[in-house]
Amino acid sequence: MGTASLGSGWARGAQVVGMALVLAAGPAGAGEPAQLGPRPFYLVDSMKPGPLKERLQACGADRPYTARRFSISHRGAPLQFPEHTREGVLAAARMGAGVIECDVAFTRDRQLVCRHAQCDLHATTDILARPDLAAKCSQDFQPADPATGRKASARCCTSDLTLAEFMSLNGKMDASDPQATTREAYAHATPRWRTDLYATTGTLMTHDAYIALVKTLGRRFTPELKAPEVPMPFQGYSQDQYAQAMIEAYKRAGIPASEVRPQSFQLRDILYWLKAEPEFGRQALWLDNRDETDPGFDPEKPESWKPGMAELTALGLRTLAPPLWMLVRVGPNGTIVPSAYARAARSAGLDLITWSLERSGPLKDGGGYYYKSIRPLIDRDGDTFALLDVLYRDVGVKGVFSDWPATATFYANCMDIE
């Protein structure tokens, strides 16, 4: 598909003027530009010489850019904005994310809100600076003790608060310092490669508010049902009720299942949706986290895949969503090639979506977790596009979650991806 027209559904947008970030008065929607800013072009400039760099350079900064479904907003735009906030969602939409995520958790009064984890409020909000609410945390701040080696810690959960209490908080950049001896130092620990420049305001969102906002932006939805960090049932609230409540919110809002990609790390949630809400279930993404939970898992050894690809398709799964590194490995002559896991998924007829681009900080030292299977090949920020190109062309991914959607939006426009 070529460049979408400015008024076309949720692939709306306009254009970047030079390399400047155009600031809009309202949210990106009908008639508003896809504002890429300088980062995609900085990444191209830092690439190794070759045909891919030449093609991306030829794409240019003065052509029209529009939102694309290939570009999926991961938690908003948390490279620079507090995650799961209204401000982050608007930034993601302005950067052309065609699909925007809300990680769904529940409050003490069983209301659904956007938060990456049920128990991350101590790292992602100002709750520790609010004594009345910090006192309600499962565990208030405990300072580090260098003498004993104890690390600083806190545990503040959405389920510790009512919806009204949750909504009174302010979002901040996700960070905490395990060596801190004061709560201020613990909370204010944003990595140097991120920024607090846009963290003075972080408007938290309910799941319903997220749906309403994304609907007005003309983008699609990808809610993730977060694994509860409290015993279930919670005050009589079962896992199935929780999974159903998330879907009911879209039905109440009149959002068709075709515009919603539910996610979960728990396969049991996917199977529940396939049975109870098959139209939504067929759209669901299983976030395969076996790399973290199964010490025997190896993306190059099919015998370690439990369940295997054929079992997953037999269960009705259509889309698998593993982390970036699981889909690639080092190939001959220093190339990046699809992993056996990726090839088997495609052979089994499974679509692939992956996460999360632009979450690793500077790549000069190999890129960390998200690049671990190809670390010897990663030594500069421009390698972001080298990986992305293999994921699209050779692995065949249908979309990429990104902490800074402009990067994936730029690539999708340059390659004419929807």
Side-chain angles (χ1 to χ4, degrees), residues 22 49 82 86 104 130 206 231 309 330 335 342 345 356 415:
V22 182
R86 178 180 174 84
V104 177
R130 305 276 300 279
T206 66
M309 301 305 177
V330 176
T335 57
S356 293
M415 301 299 174

Side-chain angles (χ1 to χ4, degrees), residues 36-121:
L36 299 189
R39 182 161 178 80
F41 307 98
Y42 159 78
L43 294 177
V44 172
D45 288 343
S46 68
M47 292 175 67
K48 300 178 181 75
L52 176 60
K53 180 173 184 176
E54 292 171 5
R55 176 162 183 180
L56 295 178
Q57 284 177 322
C59 197
D62 57 354
R63 56 161 283 178
Y65 288 91
T66 62
R68 300 295 169 107
R69 280 176 285 184
F70 184 81
S71 178
I72 306 172
S73 158
H74 180 242
R75 311 189 200 179
L79 181 65
Q80 295 193 25
F81 288 81
E83 63 185 48
H84 290 311
T85 60
R86 178 180 174 84
E87 292 78 12
V89 166
L90 291 175
R94 288 171 177 142
M95 285 188 278
V99 187
I100 296 177
E101 181 185 45
C102 166
D103 291 326
V104 177
F106 58 83
T107 61
R108 193 172 75 221
D109 45 356
R110 301 190 304 189
Q111 301 299 304
L112 301 185
V113 296
C114 295
R115 198 80 338 230
H116 175 249
Q118 186 176 25
C119 297
D120 73 0
L121 298 182

Side-chain angles (χ1 to χ4, degrees), residues 107-111 159 161-164 234-235:
T107 61
R108 193 172 75 221
D109 45 356
R110 301 190 304 189
Q111 301 299 304
S159 52
L161 306 180
T162 65
L163 177 62
F234 176 77
Q235 300 177 2

Side-chain angles (χ1 to χ4, degrees), residues 348-416:
L350 291 165
D351 285 339
L352 291 168
I353 287 176
T354 191
W355 42 276
S356 293
L357 208 67
E358 297 279 48
R359 190 156 184 82
S360 300
L363 301 187
K364 64 177 182 174
D365 297 320
Y369 170 80
Y370 290 99
Y371 293 79
K372 68 181 185 178
S373 64
I374 54 169
R375 188 169 295 153
L377 308 181
I378 304 301
D379 63 10
R380 64 192 69 194
D381 291 341
D383 289 334
T384 299
F385 282 128
L387 172 58
L388 186 55
D389 194 57
V390 172
L391 288 169
Y392 173 65
R393 292 186 179 281
D394 300 330
V395 174
V397 299
K398 302 294 186 181
V400 177
F401 284 89
S402 177
D403 280 26
W404 199 245
T407 300
T409 300
F410 168 77
Y411 178 85
N413 274 265
C414 290
M415 301 299 174
D416 265 347

Side-chain angles (χ1 to χ4, degrees), residues 143-162:
D145 185 346
T148 64
R150 184 185 72 193
K151 295 182 178 181
S153 63
R155 180 180 170 85
C156 301
C157 306
T158 58
S159 52
D160 294 332
L161 306 180
T162 65

Side-chain angles (χ1 to χ4, degrees), residues 141 175-190:
F141 172 71
S176 58
D177 180 1
Q179 306 305 320
T181 56
T182 67
R183 63 180 61 224
E184 293 79 13
Y186 179 78
H188 297 111
T190 303

